[in-house]
Amino acid sequence: QVKTSIRTSEKRPLKVFILAGQSNMEGHAEVRTFDYIGKDPATAYLLKEMRNPDGTPRVCDTVWMSYLTGPYDGSANDEGLGKLTTGFGARGDRPLENGGKIGPEFTFGIFMEKELKEPILIIKTAWGGRSLNTEFRPPSAGPYQLPQQVQDEWDKHPQGAHGIPKLEDRKKWQEDKDAASGVFYRMMVEHVKKVLADPARVCPAYDPEAGYELAGFVWFQGFNDLVDGQTYPNGNYDEYSRLLTHLIRDVRKDLDAPELPFVIGVLGVGGEKDNLNFRKAMAAPAALPEFQGNVVAVETAPFWDTAIEVAEAK
């Protein structure tokens, strides 16, 4: 059974951080674009942290990675291992290969290393195109159900229509939905437990006498829910808030970490003026009384590059 903190001495336990989500957690920023970071005074300091003096990518001395990923359908997952550096971003159907990309883990790990000054283990699980309402669906959320207004629309078309299955096919549709629900949630939890059963396999600096501490969970996901008009008709994303609340509770329960700090990376696609309803729904769980002090929502919309967006439109 996984424990929030397992220790048998006064030595400091290994800090363990879990990162999970879909393509934005995978990370599609390519190493070849790093030079552009240095051209903006607002981000130039980051590039100095991301590179060695000779221009090669930084390799963290005291941060180790376990990265479970694979094709979108999860059919060929594998685990990338090693000291934190570039290449732990999106890997597509080659989970063991350095794809030349980074995700949030890279600068997250760099700055956590600077802050903590002690060994760190990052466990990352991410797959592109996965929704919270289905693939990452947490167990306590219950089975997937169509919103009532969508169900009413389906009932008007027993012979089917665009995007609506025929009446005789709907039992099979629900069975398929149920079969897909929670699959990637379970993969995530199972992998975390596997790593924590033997941390030294991933992190040579692990001291069994000191144990480990689950120090934080970062959730960065949302696009597949944002564009799912069937689950969230008319831009009503209250169901996403409910599902994310269950995810936080279930992760804490399944990892036996009732106070596990949880960071919600609020989707930033389109910048600060776009997708306001979804962003509010995604951030909403952080305001719940039960999560005060250990759940925070971090907006990423301010980092959307509007200058590039304007240039691409010309």
Side-chain angles (χ1 to χ4, degrees):
Q1 192 175 40
V2 177
K3 297 292 185 183
T4 307
S5 180
I6 294 182
R7 56 191 302 178
T8 58
S9 76
E10 293 305 314
K11 297 177 182 179
R12 299 180 70 173
L14 173 70
K15 292 292 192 297
V16 180
F17 295 94
I18 304 165
L19 278 56
Q22 60 175 127
S23 59
N24 36 4
M25 181 56 85
E26 282 184 298
H28 288 267
E30 299 192 18
V31 175
R32 63 182 178 85
T33 67
F34 280 9
D35 286 340
Y36 294 95
I37 298 173
K39 294 183 178 181
D40 185 343
T43 56
Y45 78 97
L46 282 172
L47 187 58
K48 292 181 180 179
E49 300 288 350
M50 295 162 64
R51 281 179 169 170
N52 298 315
D54 63 0
T56 57
R58 169 86 174 273
V59 178
C60 291
D61 291 329
T62 60
V63 184
W64 283 264
M65 287 289 301
S66 168
Y67 178 25
L68 182 72
T69 190
Y72 280 10
D73 62 2
S75 61
N77 289 328
D78 216 325
E79 179 188 25
L81 298 169
K83 284 188 173 182
L84 176 63
T85 185
T86 56
F88 285 102
R91 295 183 170 186
D93 60 357
R94 297 180 178 181
L96 295 179
E97 295 184 17
N98 181 332
K101 297 180 179 182
I102 66 166
E105 77 291 330
F106 188 44
T107 49
F108 175 86
I110 287 172
F111 282 91
M112 292 307 295
E113 182 181 52
K114 286 169 65 72
E115 178 70 22
L116 296 175
K117 298 179 176 60
E118 61 183 282
I120 295 168
L121 169 58
I122 296 175
I123 306 173
K124 175 176 165 179
T125 63
W127 301 266
R130 305 296 86 185
S131 72
L132 179 58
N133 70 67
T134 300
E135 291 88 3
F136 270 110
R137 192 176 189 88
S140 66
Y144 182 99
Q145 291 184 326
L146 286 173
Q148 188 58 54
Q149 66 183 97
V150 176
Q151 183 65 61
D152 292 344
E153 187 64 23
W154 280 30
D155 291 344
K156 294 177 183 177
H157 301 278
Q159 297 306 311
H162 180 67
I164 301 176
K166 294 180 179 179
L167 186 60
E168 60 266 28
D169 297 329
R170 292 179 192 176
K171 184 175 184 292
K172 175 66 163 53
W173 178 91
Q174 184 67 56
E175 290 173 348
D176 290 345
K177 198 70 169 174
D178 291 343
S181 291
V183 170
F184 285 75
Y185 175 90
R186 293 190 291 274
M187 287 180 183
M188 171 185 70
V189 171
E190 288 166 5
H191 183 68
V192 171
K193 289 183 176 182
K194 172 187 173 182
V195 174
L196 294 181
D198 183 13
R201 180 182 65 86
V202 180
C203 177
Y206 175 65
D207 182 349
E209 291 188 359
Y212 63 80
E213 175 187 350
L214 287 179
F217 187 107
V218 182
W219 175 252
F220 198 24
Q221 183 269 346
F223 188 79
N224 274 59
D225 290 272
L226 170 68
V227 299
D228 186 348
Q230 174 180 278
T231 304
Y232 314 100
N234 300 323
N236 182 344
Y237 294 103
D238 290 348
E239 175 67 358
Y240 188 93
S241 300
R242 186 185 78 86
L243 292 169
L244 186 52
T245 299
H246 281 284
L247 179 80
I248 297 169
R249 293 172 182 154
D250 286 353
V251 164
R252 289 173 166 178
K253 177 182 177 182
D254 288 339
L255 298 182
D256 197 13
E259 300 298 324
L260 177 65
F262 201 102
V263 176
I264 303 166
V266 180
L267 190 71
V269 172
E272 295 181 85
K273 295 182 180 180
D274 283 359
N275 306 314
L276 296 178
N277 287 347
F278 183 75
R279 286 165 48 208
K280 288 179 181 177
M282 194 170 190
L288 294 175
E290 67 178 288
F291 294 149
Q292 293 307 291
N294 53 29
V295 176
V296 296
V298 178
E299 292 282 350
T300 65
F303 303 103
W304 184 260
D305 198 328
T306 53
I308 287 181
E309 190 174 41
V310 171
E312 288 178 339
K314 292 182 177 179

